[in-house]
Amino acid sequence: MAKAKTERKKAKAITFSKKLIVKDITLEAKILGIASGSAEIFAEKVAEKVAKWAEKRESVTEDDINMQIAKEINRYNKDLAFVYKNRGKII
Amino acid sequence: MKPEMFTVILAGLVHATLQLGVGTLLLLYHASLGKHIKKRTRELVTNYILGNGLLTAMAVAAACFGIFVTCNGEMNPAMLTIVVGILLALAVSIWAFYYRLGKSTELWLPKSISRYINRRAKLTESNTEAFGLGMLACFAEVPFTLILIVVTANSILGLPQALQILAVALYAILSVLPLIVLRIAARKGQTVVDIQKWRISNKNFIRIISGTGFAVLAAFLLVFKILGA
């Protein structure tokens, strides 16, 4: 019983999806007021690169993906990269 | 100005320097902009501020009642000495670990609680939920604000009756002042990114001001309420 209490809750595993990344980047771009046309173009490119990066790994965390997106998106929009770098770090 | 009123203002300003309410407001603002038009977002933010302010006012009123019933209207010097000790301990805590290390504005909150608040901010759709989120943010900061509320309540009881309700309202307004400023800034065109960048670059300044505020309040109580009694 005591052992069960000390066991850490297992993180929920989700399958990596390029589509979800594109959707998420375009949503964040909309929040920052970036034109949707250009956001869709670079969202596709960024998602492609992140997907390639993820392919080489057996498993990645959400934080890893956010940092990778921030790294890739930095060349297109610095504010958007800032949003991804600071996800979950506001409070 | 009476020392009691000065204590209420000082405690309100110290309360305003705490950052959980501001952080949660930013989360709500950011999440809402992705789902709603700006007008709807502003409504949610207003309800969030109302929830936060109302709970603060109610907590101060409840503390006033508690002190009135248990201490016959005013805390004695021995109790105030304990309060001063707690204020000084909190001042040191704020300097030492209110913020987590690193280039972010992550606070002392356990990860599970900050994730819960984050999730609630994302799920907030209605005005009632935004109001509740404001109350939740106010409640989550209680380890730091409770003593400020007690100090305020004790001072309010020393004021003439006509000023007491005014002082409760003043404290609540001062405590939500940064949230109101943030709402105005967002209306004037500042984005969440601009505000968050400012918070990160001024994190140490806010930490020093906040901790020093607690220490100054402790010194004020010591001089005017304990030694001056």
Side-chain angles (χ1 to χ4, degrees):
Chain A
M1 187 65 183
K3 196 184 168 190
K5 272 188 180 174
T6 55
E7 269 178 16
R8 294 189 76 179
K9 204 175 159 186
K10 277 190 180 173
K12 204 172 108 186
I14 51 164
T15 316
F16 179 87
S17 158
K18 214 177 99 178
K19 261 188 189 174
L20 276 181
I21 291 181
V22 174
K23 200 176 153 191
D24 193 55
I25 293 173
T26 43
L27 178 72
E28 291 291 356
K30 183 187 156 196
I31 293 170
L32 295 186
I34 300 166
S36 61
S38 64
E40 274 166 25
I41 295 167
F42 69 68
E44 283 286 348
K45 288 180 184 170
V46 169
E48 190 67 47
K49 291 213 169 162
V50 174
K52 269 187 192 167
W53 166 85
E55 264 172 22
K56 296 173 198 160
R57 283 152 183 85
E58 207 169 281
S59 64
V60 286
T61 66
E62 205 182 326
D63 278 350
D64 292 337
I65 295 173
N66 285 335
M67 290 313 282
Q68 195 60 27
I69 294 174
K71 202 173 137 190
E72 292 297 336
I73 225 165
N74 197 38
R75 71 186 72 166
Y76 301 105
N77 190 297
K78 291 208 181 331
D79 282 353
L80 208 48
F82 180 84
V83 168
Y84 276 95
K85 244 185 240 170
N86 283 279
R87 265 209 175 159
K89 291 179 185 171
I90 288 184
I91 55 166
Chain B
M1 190 187 293
K2 286 187 92 177
E4 282 83 6
M5 196 50 127
F6 187 81
T7 310
V8 172
I9 293 171
L10 184 59
L13 291 174
V14 175
H15 190 143
T17 61
L18 298 172
Q19 291 295 303
L20 183 59
V22 175
T24 311
L25 178 68
L26 279 182
L27 288 173
L28 172 68
Y29 188 69
H30 187 73
S32 177
L33 275 177
K35 294 183 283 188
H36 309 293
I37 55 168
K38 280 187 179 171
K39 191 184 168 207
R40 180 87 192 101
T41 300
R42 283 201 291 267
E43 280 172 17
L44 290 179
V45 167
T46 304
N47 277 283
Y48 169 87
I49 296 171
L50 284 175
N52 201 309
L54 190 73
L55 188 63
T56 305
M58 284 167 68
V60 173
C64 283
F65 179 72
I67 292 170
F68 184 76
V69 170
T70 57
C71 309
N72 291 326
E74 199 180 9
M75 288 164 87
N76 59 41
M79 289 170 100
L80 281 172
T81 309
I82 295 168
V83 168
V84 167
I86 296 171
L87 280 170
L88 289 174
L90 287 174
V92 175
S93 305
I94 284 180
W95 287 324
F97 61 79
Y98 184 72
Y99 284 107
R100 285 174 194 259
L101 294 175
K103 217 178 168 190
S104 73
T105 52
E106 277 182 287
L107 302 175
W108 56 276
L109 286 173
K111 276 280 177 194
S112 56
I113 296 177
S114 67
R115 263 191 232 115
Y116 178 71
I117 294 174
N118 211 331
R119 204 169 57 243
R120 283 307 322 159
K122 276 183 188 159
L123 293 174
T124 299
E125 295 279 346
S126 67
N127 289 343
T128 318
E129 283 172 326
F131 190 86
L133 185 69
M135 288 182 140
L136 175 69
C138 181
F139 185 70
E141 194 110 87
V142 154
F144 286 92
T145 56
L146 184 66
I147 201 71
L148 295 174
I149 288 168
V150 168
V151 168
T152 305
N154 187 52
S155 298
I156 286 173
L157 289 172
L159 288 170
Q161 269 190 347
L163 283 175
Q164 288 181 351
I165 292 175
L166 195 76
V168 172
L170 179 69
Y171 180 84
I173 291 168
L174 284 174
S175 72
V176 295
L177 204 57
L179 309 181
I180 296 168
V181 170
L182 218 71
R183 191 192 181 284
I184 295 167
R187 201 189 166 101
K188 296 264 177 201
Q190 299 283 318
T191 65
V192 173
V193 172
D194 296 331
I195 297 164
Q196 184 59 14
K197 276 182 182 167
W198 184 89
R199 287 182 72 216
I200 290 176
S201 58
N202 291 287
K203 176 177 148 178
N204 284 333
F205 171 71
I206 298 169
R207 187 211 314 253
I208 290 167
I209 289 290
S210 195
T212 309
F214 273 89
V216 168
L217 188 60
F220 190 82
L221 282 182
L222 187 71
V223 172
F224 286 96
K225 289 278 183 178
I226 301 171
L227 300 178

